Amino acid sequence: MDNLGMAMQELFDEQTVELLQDIDRSEPHIFSRRHEKKMQKLFKRQRKPYFRLVCTASRRAACIAAAIVIVSASAMSVKAVRETVFDFFTSVFSDHQVISADTGSNDGYPDTIEEEYRISKLPQGFKQQYHNRTETMVDIPYYCADSRILFSQFTKGSFKIVFTDEAKTEECVDTDGQKYQIVVTEYETVYIWDNGRYVFMVSGDLDKDKMLDICRSVKPQAKQSH
C-alpha cells in the first residue's frame, strides 16, 4: 500500500473509533421512515409463492428474512444441482432447496385460478382457520390441537417453494396413477403434484398414509347454485 493509501486508512480508522465512542447506546434507535417502508414491502413479499417457506407455523415468520438472504447469496456463489422429478425441478444449494414446476409446456394450464379445489375428507377435528386467495395461489390452513394441515393450490407458472430445513425428497404413485413428489423434513411431510391444470401442495405433521389420503380427496369446489 502506498503512503497515500496508508494515510487514508489511518484517518478512516480514527474517525470510525470516534464515531463509535459518540454513540449513546442507552438511547433506543429510531429507524427512518424510508427504512420502515422498505421493511413493510419486504414482509408483504412473503405472500408471493417464491418466498413461501414450508416449515412449522411458528418458525415461518422468523425464517422469511433469512430465506431471502440465503436465496440471493447462494444463487451467486453456489451452482445449483437441478434435476427433474415428475415435472418438477429441484435446485439443491448448500443450505436450502428450491422446488419449481417445469414450465416447458403450459398447454391447458390457466394463468390465473379459475376454479378452486378443496380437501373433501379432512381428518376428524380439523377446522379451517382462514382462506387466502390471489390471482395465482390459494392457501387454506387447518388446525386440530397441535396438528396442522396446509392446503395450497397454484397456477403452474407461479409455483416455487423454498425449503430451508434439511429435507429428503421421495416420489410415489397412487393407485389412480397420480404422481407425487414428497418432501420430508424434521417437522412435516409435504406432498406436491400436478393434475394437468394446477399444482397442489399439502403439508402437515401427520403420517404419510394419512397425508396421501388427504391428497387423494382434493376435488374441485362444488359450484353454488343461485
Side-chain angles (χ1 to χ4, degrees), residues 3-195:
N3 292 336
L4 177 60
M6 294 177 65
M8 292 180 66
Q9 181 66 48
E10 290 176 359
L11 178 62
F12 176 81
D13 291 341
E14 290 176 0
Q15 291 179 339
T16 302
V17 171
E18 291 176 0
L19 178 61
L20 292 174
Q21 290 175 342
D22 289 339
I23 295 175
D24 184 358
R25 292 178 174 81
S26 65
E27 293 293 330
H29 180 72
I30 300 176
F31 291 105
S32 68
R33 180 73 175 172
R34 182 181 179 184
H35 174 82
E36 291 179 347
K37 287 183 177 180
K38 284 186 176 181
M39 292 304 296
Q40 290 174 0
K41 183 178 180 180
L42 176 66
F43 284 108
K44 284 181 180 179
R45 291 177 67 192
Q46 68 178 289
R47 286 294 183 186
K48 295 184 177 181
Y50 185 79
F51 294 107
R52 285 173 40 83
L53 301 181
V54 181
C55 56
T56 57
S58 61
R59 301 183 63 193
R60 183 171 301 177
C63 291
I64 196 74
I68 295 171
V69 173
I70 288 170
V71 171
S72 300
S74 299
M76 292 185 292
S77 61
V78 180
K79 183 178 180 180
V81 178
R82 291 171 61 85
E83 57 182 16
T84 305
V85 179
F86 295 158
D87 299 323
F88 294 100
F89 284 120
T90 300
S91 299
V92 182
F93 298 85
S94 61
D95 45 15
H96 70 284
Q97 297 182 33
V98 179
I99 298 179
S100 57
D102 179 6
T103 56
S105 175
N106 285 342
D107 294 342
Y109 291 86
D111 294 327
T112 60
I113 301 294
E114 296 178 354
E115 58 178 346
E116 289 194 30
Y117 284 64
R118 290 287 190 278
I119 295 173
S120 61
K121 295 182 180 178
L122 278 169
Q124 186 174 3
F126 277 86
K127 302 294 183 182
Q128 178 178 327
Q129 293 299 301
Y130 62 83
H131 171 268
N132 177 47
R133 173 172 174 165
T134 68
E135 288 187 349
T136 59
M137 180 184 71
V138 175
D139 263 343
I140 305 176
Y142 303 87
Y143 286 87
C144 177
D146 294 331
S147 294
R148 72 175 185 86
I149 299 168
L150 174 63
F151 167 72
S152 301
Q153 174 185 350
F154 303 87
T155 58
K156 186 176 183 179
S158 71
F159 178 76
K160 190 172 290 187
I161 301 294
V162 178
F163 289 89
T164 57
D165 297 317
E166 183 176 349
K168 298 184 298 182
T169 58
E170 305 171 2
E171 305 87 38
C172 78
V173 181
D174 66 21
T175 55
D176 294 326
Q178 175 63 58
K179 302 175 182 178
Y180 301 86
Q181 179 159 349
I182 307 170
V183 182
V184 181
T185 74
E186 180 182 354
Y187 304 97
E188 63 187 350
T189 301
V190 184
Y191 279 75
I192 303 169
W193 73 100
D194 178 339
N195 76 341

